[in-house]
Amino acid sequence: MIENDLTIRIGGEAGQGLESSGAGLAKALARAGLHIFVHQSYMSRIRGGHNWATIRVSPTPIWGPLERVDLLLALDQETIQQDGLDVVAGGAIIHDESLTVNASLLERDINAIPLPLNAIAREKGSPVMANTAAAAAVAGLTGLPFRYIEGVIHDNFKKKGAEVIAQNVAVARAAYDLAVARGPAGCAYCLTPDESAPPRLVLNGNEAFCLGAVLGGCNFISAYPMTPSTSIFQWMMANAGEYGIVAKQAEDEIAAVCMAVGAAHAGARAMVSTSGGGFSLMVEGLGLAGMTETPLVLVDAQRPGPSTGMPTRTEQGDLLFLLWASQGEFPRIVLAPGTIEECFAAGWRAFNLAERYQTPVLVLTDGFQANAMRALAVDALDFAGVTIDRGKLLTPADLDALTEPYLRYKITPSGISPRALPGHPRAIFMATSDEHREDSHFEDEDPANRVAQSDKRLRKLDAALADVEAPRCYGPAQADLTLVEWGSSCGPVRETVDRLNAEGHSANQVHFCDLWPFPVETTRAALQDARRIVVVESNATGQFEFLLHACTGIRAHGHVRRYDGRPFTPEYILARL
Amino acid sequence: MATAKDFDNPVRPTWCSGCGNYAIWNGVKRALAQAGLEPHQVMLVGGIGCSSKLPDYTRANGFTSLHGRPIPIAHGIKLANHDLTVIVSAGDGDTYGLGLSHLINALRRNAGLTIMVHNNRIYGLTKGQYSPTSPVGFRTKTSPAGSLDAPINPIALALAVGGTFVARAFSGDLAHLVDVLTRAFTHRGCALVDILQPCVTFNPGFSYDYYRPRVYRLEEAGHDPTDFAAAWRLAQSEWGERVPIGVFRQVQQPTYEERLPVLSAGGPLVKQMRLWDEAAYARLREKFI
């Protein structure tokens, strides 16, 4: 018996409730004290197609998905055809009796476990509850106590009312009891709760970012829905009333970014969330924020491009675009959080950085991180560390005491000008997209003033370097192989490093979250002893590898790139080292 | 109580001599004073173009922004601080061309903004190309054989999408312009004021002399601004030899900000500050356990 160390995949068509049953089962397992990592594969359609949710379970902390599948719950024949190939020898396919498992799979020592999932759903509830039956059947086959399934059903269907809850519980109970009665034959896995484990949070990267943002005082979001950023907007919208947030769905991404610029200018902690295509439309607004020195937070949840690309998949292909987007030159700060914890921290840090340097902060995440959920200790997110820093913002009392005329774009050694909010009689001022003087007026086009204002803006980037966090090193200080990555590649690379070291190799990891201004000195320090540097990133052209070389002169010895729309796994990386 | 002079600043306009923008500028300052506003309570948001330089010449808060985009910027400002009187000063290119969807959306939301369109029916600052309100057959540098595009009818458009304040003014009739702008600035909700503005340099055909004999005041013609059907008829039929100016429609409906509970209950967003403690965070965290 393999205990608490397996990957479960629930597959079927869009509309069969895979996301909710996957999330429900994940929550049940997390409540049972197990470590989980959940990621999803879905297609850009409302019904049909082939989707899945994959839950990796472990007795110890885990950081990413695996390619292998141990238990496959198939709600349709397509799942058996496609995902059956990922099931390992000794694994099992749990499926409705109406489906068939190919002989070729059975020959590979994969066990077929047919159960009347559809019939149970039909009899005890409704046909749409086959997903509930499947999740409960897994619990029954693996020995997970029923109360964990029941608890999650109660929570998940709370809004749908007592009848829906009762039906789902009845379906789950019947499927669970049938699986228990059948016995674990053919299922070599068991799930044993760890009653001593502390409570765990289960959340994805987008949710973690929202949590950090709200605690960090974010009170304005304007957006236009675009996968895979939409869940940020929806979470903020769903919680807007409770937490005093203005959340506005704009008519397009141009309006979204402009609303956020306006709101930020007036004093809100404002953000906009989008994906690459929407960001393309926002570029002019980004430059406006740079020129007017408006603290804007912009999240790009990357998906494979160009153009529509692969809407529901993942890629790290927007890095260089974000770094240089807009005509002209202005300072920007770019963060690429790579873990749930970093997403949380990026949520509040982005607003502090934006207000401290009065310039746009861009947060790069991606489809993988947006949707992937991990269980973490209930106190793993550092609430005590959250600060709200509004930078050189003049309070009404400061403004009351002003004796000189207020200059919005005053030249200062740091480049940061004291910032007033519109509405105070002592500071009547203008923000200006044209090149402007210290007092915001813009029509003289004086060359010396142009240089002075441009230098002032760009000096802020030098100042911001002090707030840029160094790349994080993991593993032994000295190693034969150093895997360098950024953003969401963090988890899979970490597991790769652990595997290599466990197998007697010598490897470590250098992870970049803060990407711009580029942390040149700390990068050199982190890589000075590296013997062989391999850059791991989810794009075809090696954008970070290029940036690393451009900024530090450090050349990687090799790279592993993935751009098929799927996230990295240790298996994928190890096969290419 | 501020007077029109309190809205003067030392910057001198660079508009051409005789430009219709001067009267609009004077009208704005007088109307702001008549509306009982102080300079610090006002936010003027410009797009790009001659019209959009008005904030630079006026003592009030300002934001000169992007071509076509002043409306969403203005609405963002309003959502963050609805104590400000937020006024868009933009041109027909900004508002009826590039930013047309923003205009429609601000009107249908009844956003708490005044949108003043300096409608000179030409692209002036780029030196003479046809605009969304140029007539068919209009010859410019980019329509040498005459424009093929039918012009936008701003009044009909605004009425069609539920505008709660829809007006036209003429920069050659300052007293009336001040009256219309004062009503717009004090209107609760989205006010569109389409202002006929001669561009003496690049569009001499639509001059003061062209408009003056054609315009007539709706107020003097006995138009009832709550009568939608009458407003619609006027917007469709009266253009050319007779050009109505004044308020076509004004009705009171809840504004976007009033319908948003976070703002209606909590006051201006910038004055709301949520403080988190461990207990509040623990409750928030519960959503993820």
Side-chain angles (χ1 to χ4, degrees):
Chain A
M1 268 298 181
I2 298 164
E3 189 179 30
N4 294 346
D5 192 358
L6 71 158
T7 292
I8 304 165
R9 174 169 298 171
I10 308 177
E13 292 181 7
Q16 284 187 314
L18 302 166
E19 200 185 332
S20 64
S21 54
L25 187 55
K27 211 169 207 183
L29 293 166
R31 287 178 181 177
L34 303 174
H35 288 275
I36 54 145
F37 189 96
V38 185
H39 75 302
Q40 287 150 15
S41 169
Y42 58 103
M43 300 170 86
S44 188
R45 52 197 285 177
I46 294 169
R47 289 281 180 269
H50 175 57
N51 292 3
W52 50 248
T54 298
I55 307 157
R56 183 178 165 205
V57 188
S58 169
T60 54
I62 43 178
W63 302 90
L66 301 177
E67 301 281 341
R68 62 176 281 165
V69 172
D70 297 285
L71 293 181
L72 178 64
L73 275 82
L75 297 184
D76 68 352
Q77 193 64 42
E78 187 67 19
T79 300
I80 298 176
Q81 307 309 121
Q82 286 204 20
D83 298 314
L85 302 172
D86 294 331
V87 179
V88 295
I93 300 175
I94 299 153
H95 60 92
D96 184 71
E97 287 173 336
S98 63
L99 308 177
T100 53
V101 175
N102 327 13
S104 61
L105 291 171
L106 299 174
E107 280 164 16
R108 281 179 41 224
D109 189 25
I110 293 169
N111 301 290
I113 305 179
L115 291 169
L117 302 173
N118 289 334
I120 290 172
R122 220 169 27 241
E123 279 166 28
K124 304 286 181 184
S126 94
V128 296
M129 295 173 189
N131 59 342
T132 300
V138 169
L141 287 168
T142 56
L144 184 74
F146 184 70
R147 65 175 186 278
Y148 292 106
I149 299 292
E150 187 173 7
V152 168
I153 290 173
H154 276 274
D155 291 357
N156 284 6
F157 295 106
K158 205 182 306 176
K159 281 185 190 153
K160 296 200 172 173
E163 195 186 341
V164 174
I165 292 175
Q167 286 181 341
N168 273 281
V169 170
V171 167
R173 184 83 242 181
Y176 186 89
D177 289 346
L178 188 70
V180 170
R182 181 196 170 280
C187 177
Y189 304 88
C190 67
L191 292 165
T192 312
D194 177 0
E195 306 281 1
S196 67
R200 297 226 161 89
L201 303 174
V202 179
L203 69 175
N204 64 37
N206 277 1
E207 290 167 333
F209 180 84
C210 291
L211 203 54
V214 166
L215 296 174
C218 171
N219 58 4
F220 187 95
I221 181 170
S222 45
Y224 187 87
M226 186 168 185
T227 305
S229 69
T230 310
S231 60
I232 293 179
F233 185 39
Q234 289 185 168
W235 194 93
M236 296 295 283
M237 190 65 99
N239 292 280
E242 194 173 349
Y243 302 127
I245 299 159
V246 170
K248 180 76 197 98
Q249 179 166 305
E251 56 270 29
D252 56 36
E253 283 91 347
I254 295 173
V257 72
C258 287
M259 283 179 180
V261 167
H265 175 73
R269 290 204 128 191
M271 77 156 151
V272 62
S273 56
T274 188
S275 184
F279 178 72
S280 297
L281 289 172
M282 292 180 179
V283 169
E284 196 184 18
L286 175 72
L288 175 69
M291 186 56 139
T292 56
E293 306 200 33
T294 303
L296 171 73
V297 173
L298 192 156
V299 188
D300 171 13
Q302 300 164 96
R303 68 192 218 189
S307 193
T308 310
M310 299 174 85
T312 61
R313 305 291 167 185
T314 196
E315 195 162 281
Q316 296 179 295
D318 295 352
L319 172 61
L320 295 180
F321 176 40
L322 253 77
L323 277 178
W324 317 126
S326 169
Q327 71 272 31
E329 299 161 303
F330 62 89
R332 72 190 75 194
I333 296 166
V334 179
L335 309 177
T339 61
I340 299 290
E341 293 86 340
E342 283 185 353
C343 287
F344 173 78
W348 59 267
R349 286 182 67 215
F351 291 92
N352 288 351
L353 292 167
E355 291 213 303
R356 205 174 292 160
Y357 300 104
Q358 299 176 23
T359 208
V361 174
L362 307 170
V363 180
L364 266 174
T365 177
D366 54 48
F368 170 49
Q369 185 156 254
N371 294 313
M373 293 188 288
R374 216 179 89 223
L376 55 169
V378 74
D379 55 359
L381 302 177
D382 182 16
F383 171 70
V386 176
T387 58
I388 294 181
D389 176 4
R390 304 210 62 182
K392 287 194 180 175
L393 184 68
L394 298 169
T395 64
D398 295 335
L399 293 170
D400 288 341
L402 271 188
T403 51
E404 304 274 304
Y406 173 67
L407 297 175
R408 172 65 191 100
Y409 300 112
K410 189 177 169 62
I411 306 277
T412 63
S414 66
I416 303 164
S417 314
R419 176 173 167 237
L421 301 181
H424 194 281
R426 290 283 176 89
I428 295 167
F429 69 99
M430 197 165 68
T432 319
S433 64
D434 284 76
E435 187 57 277
H436 40 258
R437 305 185 315 214
E438 285 186 307
D439 63 2
S440 309
H441 295 304
F442 61 84
E443 281 196 282
D444 53 13
E445 301 187 13
D446 172 46
N449 177 69
R450 159 65 177 179
V451 172
Q453 284 291 334
S454 179
D455 287 350
K456 162 199 144 43
R457 286 190 293 271
L458 292 172
R459 270 202 301 282
K460 296 191 292 184
L461 198 62
D462 301 332
L465 199 54
D467 279 327
V468 167
E469 292 182 357
R472 293 191 180 95
C473 304
Y474 175 73
Q478 302 284 330
D480 294 336
L481 173 68
T482 297
L483 296 179
V484 174
E485 49 71 29
W486 62 281
S488 74
S489 300
C490 182
V493 168
R494 182 180 169 133
E495 294 216 5
T496 305
V497 164
D498 284 342
R499 279 209 198 182
L500 284 167
N501 290 325
E503 289 165 9
H505 301 288
S506 155
N508 59 15
Q509 172 182 14
V510 176
H511 165 66
F512 286 81
C513 172
D514 293 14
L515 293 176
W516 200 261
F518 196 86
V520 174
E521 295 310 320
T522 51
T523 299
R524 289 203 177 115
L527 292 175
Q528 65 183 359
D529 294 330
R531 291 174 200 142
R532 179 176 152 73
I533 296 170
V534 172
V535 177
V536 182
E537 59 186 315
S538 269
N539 57 58
T541 56
Q543 297 188 22
F544 182 81
E545 193 179 336
F546 172 88
L547 189 67
L548 176 69
H549 181 241
C551 294
T552 65
I554 296 171
R555 273 193 194 281
H557 302 90
H559 56 247
V560 178
R561 298 173 187 167
R562 186 164 198 176
Y563 46 94
D564 60 2
R566 273 64 178 177
F568 277 119
T569 59
E571 295 103 307
Y572 184 96
I573 298 167
L574 286 166
R576 287 159 182 82
L577 284 175
Chain B
M1 187 82 172
T3 66
K5 277 204 169 319
D6 292 313
F7 293 92
D8 282 339
N9 77 6
V11 183
R12 294 277 62 88
T14 56
W15 295 316
C16 305
S17 173
C19 177
N21 278 329
Y22 286 99
I24 298 174
W25 180 47
N26 285 324
V28 165
K29 289 187 283 188
R30 289 189 202 179
L32 288 171
Q34 277 197 20
L37 293 161
E38 302 286 336
H40 71 276
Q41 298 171 323
V42 177
M43 169 63 79
L44 296 167
V45 184
I48 294 295
C50 297
S51 59
S52 299
K53 294 181 178 183
L54 184 144
D56 194 34
Y57 308 146
T58 311
R59 186 167 166 266
N61 299 294
F63 198 128
T64 64
S65 64
L66 299 173
H67 191 46
R69 313 304 169 196
I71 292 171
I73 290 165
H75 199 200
I77 292 169
K78 186 73 178 183
L79 288 169
N81 185 356
H82 60 260
D83 277 352
L84 293 170
T85 294
V86 184
I87 299 162
V88 171
S89 175
D92 39 323
D94 267 321
T95 316
Y96 305 142
L98 216 62
L100 183 61
S101 87
H102 306 316
L103 173 67
I104 291 169
N105 282 291
L107 287 164
R108 75 185 178 92
R109 289 172 188 145
N110 204 23
L113 308 172
T114 296
I115 300 167
M116 295 191 302
V117 184
H118 304 224
N119 182 1
N120 57 13
R121 308 168 79 180
I122 189 82
Y123 287 162
L125 196 55
T126 48
K127 305 197 162 111
Q129 301 83 25
Y130 70 102
S131 94
T133 48
S134 300
V136 172
F138 192 61
R139 290 176 189 271
T140 67
K141 290 166 187 163
T142 52
S143 55
S147 166
L148 302 177
D149 301 357
I152 293 271
N153 178 337
I155 304 297
L157 179 83
L159 290 171
V161 298
T164 57
F165 186 104
V166 182
R168 182 187 287 136
F170 170 44
S171 69
D173 185 348
L174 183 60
H176 181 259
L177 172 68
V178 170
D179 177 56
V180 170
L181 287 178
T182 305
R183 290 169 68 184
F185 296 162
T186 50
H187 175 71
R188 276 192 11 250
C190 197
L192 173 71
V193 185
D194 178 69
I195 307 172
L196 302 173
Q197 175 229 338
C199 173
V200 294
T201 304
F202 288 105
N203 200 357
F206 295 107
S207 63
Y208 296 98
D209 289 342
Y210 170 84
Y211 283 120
R212 205 162 271 134
R214 289 174 169 81
V215 298
Y216 70 96
R217 295 177 177 179
L218 282 174
E219 293 76 10
E220 292 165 8
H223 173 64
D224 171 8
T226 63
D227 183 346
F228 181 88
W232 183 253
R233 203 165 48 243
L234 282 164
Q236 294 297 327
S237 58
E238 296 278 284
W239 184 253
E241 291 315 303
R242 277 173 61 78
V243 178
I245 57 172
V247 179
F248 285 71
R249 178 164 172 81
Q250 182 174 16
V251 289
Q252 200 55 62
Q253 285 170 11
T255 69
Y256 191 87
E257 298 73 40
E258 287 165 355
R259 286 176 291 143
L260 203 58
V262 169
L263 300 183
S264 57
L269 190 66
V270 287
K271 293 181 181 159
Q272 300 183 32
M273 188 41 123
R274 190 184 181 85
L275 295 173
W276 291 90
D277 56 20
E278 280 283 355
Y281 171 57
R283 281 195 299 280
L284 170 57
R285 200 171 56 183
E286 276 299 314
K287 294 178 200 265
F288 299 103
I289 295 176

